[in-house]
Amino acid sequence: MRIGIDVGGTNTDAVLVEGMEVLASHKTPTTADVGSGIISALENIFRKGSSRPDQISAVMIGTTHFTNAVVERRRLLKSAAIRIALPATQALPPMIDWPSDLREAIGNHVYLVHGGYEFDGREISALDDKEIREVAADLKRKNIRSAALTSVFAPVNGKMEERAAEILREEIPGIYVSLSSEIGRIGLLERENATIMNACLQELAITVVRSFRDALNRLEITAPFYISQNDGTLMSSVYAEKYPILTFASGPTNSMRGAAFLSGAQEGVVVDIGGTTSDVGALAHGFPREASAEVEIADVRTNFRMPDLLSFGLGGGSIIRQANSHMTIGPDSVGYELTEKALIFGGDTLTTTDIAVAAGQLDLGDRRKVARLSPELIKSALAQIHHMVEASIDRMKTSAEPIPVILVGGGSVLISKPIAGASEIRKPEHYAVANAIGAAIAQVGGEVDRVFMLEGSSRDEALASAKREAISKAVDAGALADTVKVVDVEEVPLTYLPSNSIRVRIKAVGDLAMS
Amino acid sequence: MRYLQEQEIRDIANGSAILGTGGGGDPYLGTLAAIAAIKEFGPPAILEVSELADDALVAFPFIVGSPVPGVEKFPFGLELVRAFRMLEGQLGRRITAVMSAEIGGANSMIPMSLGARVGLPVVDGDLIGRAFPEIQLTTLTLHGLHASPFALADEHGNGVVLNVIDNFWAERIARAISIEFGAICVGIAYPISGAQAKTATLHGTVSYAGSIGRSLREAKAGKLDLVGAVLDATGGVVLFRGNIVDVRRQTQRGWAVGEAKISGSEVFAGSTLSVRFQNENLVAVRDGTTVASVPDLITIVDAETGAAITTENLRYGFRVAVIGIACEPIWRTPAGLALAGPQHWGYENEYVPIEPHCRTAARN
């Protein structure tokens, strides 16, 4: 028996799953402390599923907490972007293509220092310890406690990043340091972007992972707990504390895997309406369609491989504002404060959930509190909500033909009318907890990322040996041996020498073995 | 006088990615650099080739190197200005306009960056009409014009001015120098007069790239078929649709050489298309038969977005359409085919014009 938990911006969902069967599910508002919401959800599923903590073999947690923090520019730690590259790359400084409000939110502290590597491992310049110490002095002066270090060709050699991190830690004990060599792949700007976003989430990561751990301890759950990564595989909680960026887009991946699992649909468009944002993606053969292009997160380009998703600011907690005759919905949301701020709960903020209750689509809170909303307002808000969803489906579709639309997520109660472009609308059972189900069925991965020197025609042998190693790593990480498959192979040539070298990155995944 | 603004630069970049036939580097970084340069220095003017004075001095800046190093150590800043000044120093004259050597890929953006930085107009045209990975593969070579003097510079301030006996030597020596510069650097070459530009360059290709990009942008806004938008703007055809099942590549003498295998879907189900590339896509072979070959353009685009996918970004599983576009007529002359036809790239096959396949493909 395993537990899947999804901690969203608005709701915390938990499911109890055994094999292909969902034994119990529960949805409860996300709490400011995160932990008490989890405890409440888990107590409920234990009761509903008549089961006990000691029957649980694994807990999988998916969270959009970190994505939401960046999207909403909230609780971001002021961070430094230090690029080790001079005199190269000056035409495009760090964060050049970022939205200015996000750059402001984390402080726009950009440093270019000497160093970096060529494609073949030569140094562009030597790392200058003194220069790093000067940056450290400046960070100290500005009280910046987190730094992202990105060197040119760090995937070939991460030593300069490591040395610079060592110096920063000497100068500023306790500083958080994120290294690009640990996070991304080749492509300086995109890897640097992901590293900077990781840096600004360091404090939040520690708080959030600790609250997960405390909640499970409180309930005396001793099973190991894992956190969902963007590719739908699991990472240990300790790893997640250092690399919260790897949770980005795990929510959508989980939601789509959960939706495919629940609806039985192999093809279609999945619309996941959460509390703060909606994510729209396409299912191909029961799996999320992957983006071929670089994926933008909160309008920042990264080189993670992710489901091809469109996100926009519509959720159950989205704030509705009226100015003159113009109405806006979102992109901001009351989030976990829905039960205090929404009108139906006695608050003073008009949210999309209030509209759903006023329109009679949902029975929640105190309906009398929205009785004085004008019918025109309700009608116009509903029309705008439907229009936002239709527009996004339209953008994801590959042809003009109508296709099945699978609606999931707690915010899907906002949708009451037919959707243009949909051949049918499916709201599968347990649909409101698809994310948690996706987390619960998540798999374990093993990755190999190494440079092979090829002599003659040994490319196939190199690939075969790397594949074997990735498979055995997946098994070591807890995958059931006969379920492990190689899901991703990437080769990047590195040198111009007659004896070719290739960088090979291979990922294998399998089902988590249960004791 | 017309000036190049941000939207047009983005359109040109997206169109040039299609004309890049998988090579020339991802225009994303070059576009960012061009936009950053126009924000800092002001937008450059764009001139028709016919507007050049006969005694104008035109030169062609471009990137020399390999795409993978280019996404780590991008050379779009002072490197460019240094190479430019070095060439002027060698010539003893002021350059009066800059022009694209290669409209395909990131090189389409280099004249915009340089033009903005040194305050010179960009000329609407180029030397290839697509992307090619070698410096001598230009219309100027076909017209007997010299690549040298040819200045190369790196980020440190190192520079070299080449004086070579012909454009093949320019390629060999520049390539060797670029490897020392980290397999990526900038060069500026082919200094010619306005009169020579009028007879020996391809006119209007910057606007052509812009029209492809605009067509994509408008199709996206109108929710229209994006691959169809590319076909409409280029007169090209869909050679194949399917999923990439294998990509193999290696680096040889400074080039990313390889092959992508695509398993057919829809009407192409049961067929396999192999696209062979050397930085750019060169030959497309369907079930053993060549269906398109260089110098015609073979571009692999995302089946959904119509966006061009560069050879270094090809990956297993991508859903793609392979588009064939007829090349500029000069490349189909005996001299053009001798310079850049299939045999130049080590293929024994004769050049296969793309047109016969257009009819087959058009039915699909």
Side-chain angles (χ1 to χ4, degrees):
Chain A
M1 223 179 278
R2 53 168 86 181
I3 288 172
I5 304 174
D6 175 63
V7 185
T10 308
N11 288 311
T12 295
D13 307 336
V15 293
L16 189 63
V17 175
E18 183 155 37
M20 298 291 283
E21 200 186 345
V22 179
L23 301 177
S25 70
H26 190 78
K27 178 181 286 291
T28 179
T30 296
T31 51
D33 68 345
V34 180
S36 48
I38 291 179
I39 291 171
S40 150
L42 292 184
E43 283 171 344
N44 270 288
I45 59 167
F46 284 134
R47 197 172 53 243
K48 290 181 189 172
S50 312
S51 44
R52 301 180 316 272
D54 62 3
Q55 294 174 295
I56 303 304
S57 52
V59 179
M60 287 80 163
I61 304 178
T63 178
T64 54
H65 225 84
F66 303 115
T67 317
N68 287 348
V70 178
V71 169
E72 296 178 32
R73 285 87 165 112
R74 281 171 56 184
R75 299 180 70 182
L76 303 181
L77 192 56
K78 298 279 181 207
S79 302
I82 304 170
R83 184 190 294 170
I84 305 172
L86 286 181
T89 75
Q90 293 177 70
L92 300 174
M95 299 193 275
I96 180 162
D97 203 18
W98 285 39
S100 53
D101 61 336
L102 182 55
R103 210 162 49 212
E104 298 303 323
I106 70 167
N108 210 3
H109 303 291
V110 169
Y111 301 86
L112 272 81
V113 299
H114 286 83
Y117 297 93
E118 304 282 9
F119 70 100
D120 56 4
R122 279 180 290 158
E123 293 183 352
I124 293 174
S125 319
L127 188 75
D128 180 352
D129 286 13
K130 194 166 144 274
E131 214 177 351
I132 306 290
R133 289 189 205 281
E134 281 164 14
V135 170
D138 200 46
L139 298 185
K140 222 189 250 176
R141 222 174 5 254
K142 294 177 175 158
N143 194 26
I144 295 166
R145 289 173 295 118
S146 186
L149 286 168
T150 309
S151 109
V152 176
F153 271 114
V156 170
N157 190 342
K159 287 219 173 70
M160 285 196 194
E161 288 183 356
E162 284 159 25
R163 174 63 190 146
E166 207 175 283
I167 297 171
L168 290 181
R169 290 197 186 100
E170 279 168 27
E171 298 289 326
I172 313 174
I175 188 172
Y176 302 110
V177 182
S178 302
L179 306 185
S180 86
S181 51
E182 302 284 334
I183 287 173
R185 29 190 88 170
I186 287 174
L188 179 76
L189 226 47
E190 293 85 355
R191 185 175 71 252
E192 179 176 73
N193 288 344
T195 311
I196 298 166
M197 285 195 276
N198 194 68
C200 72
L201 291 168
Q202 287 297 298
E203 222 161 57
L204 187 61
I206 289 170
T207 312
V208 168
V209 173
R210 182 184 299 142
S211 59
F212 291 165
R213 190 176 294 128
D214 290 349
L216 297 179
N217 286 342
R218 187 85 64 82
L219 292 173
E220 294 175 352
I221 296 172
T222 53
F225 87 98
Y226 301 87
I227 296 192
S228 300
Q229 301 187 62
N230 63 71
D231 63 357
T233 66
L234 302 165
M235 61 178 155
S236 76
S237 51
V238 176
Y239 200 74
E241 248 169 10
K242 287 179 84 174
Y243 301 110
I245 182 86
L246 299 177
T247 65
F248 273 37
S250 66
T253 305
N254 284 344
S255 156
M256 293 192 56
R257 302 248 308 135
F261 179 85
L262 289 172
S263 70
Q266 296 293 298
E267 314 288 326
V269 171
V270 178
V271 181
D272 176 13
I273 308 179
T276 303
T277 56
S278 295
D279 296 298
V280 182
L283 274 181
H285 313 299
F287 281 86
R289 185 176 81 205
E290 274 196 350
S292 73
E294 273 67 15
V295 172
E296 291 192 353
I297 300 162
D299 297 322
V300 175
R301 181 161 145 142
T302 71
N303 56 5
F304 288 127
R305 201 94 40 88
M306 289 193 184
D308 191 4
L309 283 172
L310 184 66
S311 294
F312 58 100
L314 173 68
S318 294
I319 297 171
I320 300 178
R321 291 187 183 84
Q322 279 183 293
N324 305 323
S325 61
H326 185 67
M327 175 189 288
T328 61
I329 299 182
D332 52 346
S333 162
V334 294
Y336 63 82
E337 295 171 314
L338 184 73
T339 53
E340 290 156 36
K341 295 204 163 168
L343 300 183
I344 50 164
F345 293 112
D348 58 2
T349 309
L350 177 60
T351 67
T352 47
T353 295
D354 294 315
I355 295 292
V357 171
Q361 291 170 201
L362 175 67
D363 184 17
L364 189 69
D366 183 354
R367 199 173 163 180
R368 285 168 306 178
K369 299 262 203 284
V370 288
R372 55 187 179 78
L373 294 179
S374 79
E376 292 77 38
L377 170 75
I378 296 166
K379 199 176 154 202
S380 136
L382 281 179
Q384 193 162 332
I385 289 167
H386 283 75
H387 177 74
M388 287 167 88
V389 171
E390 284 167 355
S392 67
I393 292 173
D394 228 34
R395 280 179 62 185
M396 287 309 289
K397 279 169 63 172
T398 56
S399 78
E401 295 299 305
I403 44 166
V405 170
I406 302 151
L407 270 182
V408 299
S412 61
V413 292
L414 300 178
I415 302 302
S416 55
K417 291 186 280 191
I419 301 263
S423 59
E424 57 174 316
I425 297 178
R426 294 188 198 181
K427 285 190 182 182
E429 199 190 346
H430 301 294
Y431 71 89
V433 291
N435 275 18
I437 289 167
I441 62 171
Q443 295 171 302
V444 186
E447 193 167 297
V448 170
D449 179 4
R450 195 181 317 135
V451 174
F452 288 87
M453 304 295 287
L454 297 184
E455 301 298 336
S457 62
S458 63
R459 169 187 174 268
D460 292 342
E461 291 161 33
L463 283 181
S465 109
K467 281 178 186 170
R468 278 195 301 275
E469 193 179 331
I471 289 169
S472 93
K473 277 190 173 182
V475 172
D476 290 348
L480 207 56
D482 56 3
T483 65
V484 178
K485 282 187 296 204
V486 171
V487 294
D488 196 12
V489 178
E490 183 178 302
E491 302 172 55
V492 182
L494 288 184
T495 84
Y496 287 28
L497 302 173
S499 66
N500 291 311
S501 299
I502 53 170
R503 176 173 183 232
V504 176
R505 189 194 282 265
I506 289 189
K507 187 159 210 163
V509 301
D511 297 337
L512 189 66
M514 297 290 177
S515 48
Chain B
M1 186 91 62
R2 200 163 69 78
Y3 292 87
L4 282 171
Q5 304 292 354
E6 182 168 338
Q7 182 64 67
E8 186 171 1
I9 285 179
R10 289 188 190 278
D11 286 343
I12 294 165
N14 291 331
S16 73
I18 299 287
L19 299 176
T21 66
D26 183 348
Y28 168 73
L29 295 172
T31 311
L32 276 189
I35 290 168
I38 68 167
K39 281 185 179 152
E40 189 174 349
F41 304 97
I46 179 150
L47 289 184
E48 304 288 324
V49 179
S50 62
E51 290 178 84
L52 284 170
D54 281 350
D55 64 351
L57 179 56
V58 185
F60 298 79
F62 49 91
I63 299 165
V64 183
S66 169
V68 171
V71 297
E72 284 285 324
K73 200 185 83 165
F74 27 79
F76 306 119
L78 285 175
E79 299 91 336
L80 264 176
V81 178
R82 284 201 200 102
F84 172 86
R85 296 289 175 220
M86 230 181 286
L87 182 62
E88 280 191 329
Q90 175 76 21
L91 293 166
R93 282 179 65 194
R94 305 305 300 262
I95 292 165
T96 53
V98 293
M99 189 163 171
S100 177
E102 174 183 47
I103 194 60
N107 273 332
S108 65
M109 291 288 113
I110 301 303
M112 284 61 167
S113 272
L114 180 59
R117 282 174 181 268
V118 298
L120 286 183
V122 173
V123 185
D124 184 358
D126 82 310
L127 301 179
I128 312 181
R130 48 164 291 155
F132 272 142
E134 296 172 26
I135 289 159
Q136 82 280 9
L137 302 178
T138 66
T139 56
L140 297 188
T141 300
L142 292 175
H143 283 86
L145 294 167
H146 275 272
S148 69
F150 171 5
L152 293 134
D154 75 355
E155 69 276 12
H156 297 282
N158 297 310
V160 178
V161 180
L162 294 185
N163 284 290
V164 287
I165 56 167
D166 65 35
N167 299 347
F168 292 85
W169 280 103
E171 163 62 30
R172 277 183 74 167
I173 297 173
R175 184 78 43 195
I177 291 169
S178 79
I179 293 175
E180 280 311 304
F181 283 166
I184 192 86
C185 65
V186 291
I188 180 163
Y190 286 111
I192 58 171
S193 70
Q196 288 167 325
K198 287 172 193 172
T199 56
T201 67
L202 300 170
H203 300 196
T205 50
V206 172
S207 301
Y208 173 52
S211 71
I212 300 169
R214 193 173 57 244
S215 172
L216 268 172
R217 173 163 55 83
E218 289 170 357
K220 206 169 271 179
K223 316 278 185 276
L224 304 173
D225 171 21
L226 296 172
V227 174
V230 173
L231 301 184
D232 290 345
T234 59
V237 294
V238 170
L239 295 170
F240 206 71
R241 285 180 192 272
N243 290 65
I244 297 177
V245 291
D246 188 33
V247 181
R248 57 172 64 207
R249 53 187 140 217
Q250 52 185 322
T251 310
Q252 287 175 0
R253 294 182 300 130
W255 292 304
V257 178
E259 178 178 19
K261 281 205 174 115
I262 305 165
S263 169
S265 58
E266 301 164 51
V267 295
F268 301 98
S271 263
T272 301
L273 187 81
S274 159
V275 176
R276 292 166 195 162
F277 54 83
Q278 173 174 324
N279 278 22
E280 283 80 27
N281 302 317
L282 295 178
V283 177
V285 180
R286 179 174 171 183
D287 303 326
T289 306
T290 301
V291 292
S293 55
V294 64
D296 285 334
L297 286 70
I298 301 165
T299 291
I300 301 178
V301 300
D302 183 295
E304 323 299 333
T305 66
I309 305 174
T310 57
T311 53
E312 71 269 22
N313 283 335
L314 291 172
R315 288 198 204 102
Y316 176 84
F318 285 2
R319 283 219 290 144
V320 299
V322 182
I323 293 176
I325 303 170
C327 64
E328 292 281 342
I330 192 170
W331 292 116
R332 292 184 175 189
T333 61
L337 287 173
L339 185 63
Q343 278 115 12
H344 171 74
W345 311 96
Y347 299 105
E348 286 173 11
N349 309 30
E350 292 292 312
Y351 163 66
V352 180
I354 203 161
E355 279 77 0
H357 297 281
C358 294
R359 285 194 303 278
T360 323
R363 283 203 301 273
N364 301 321

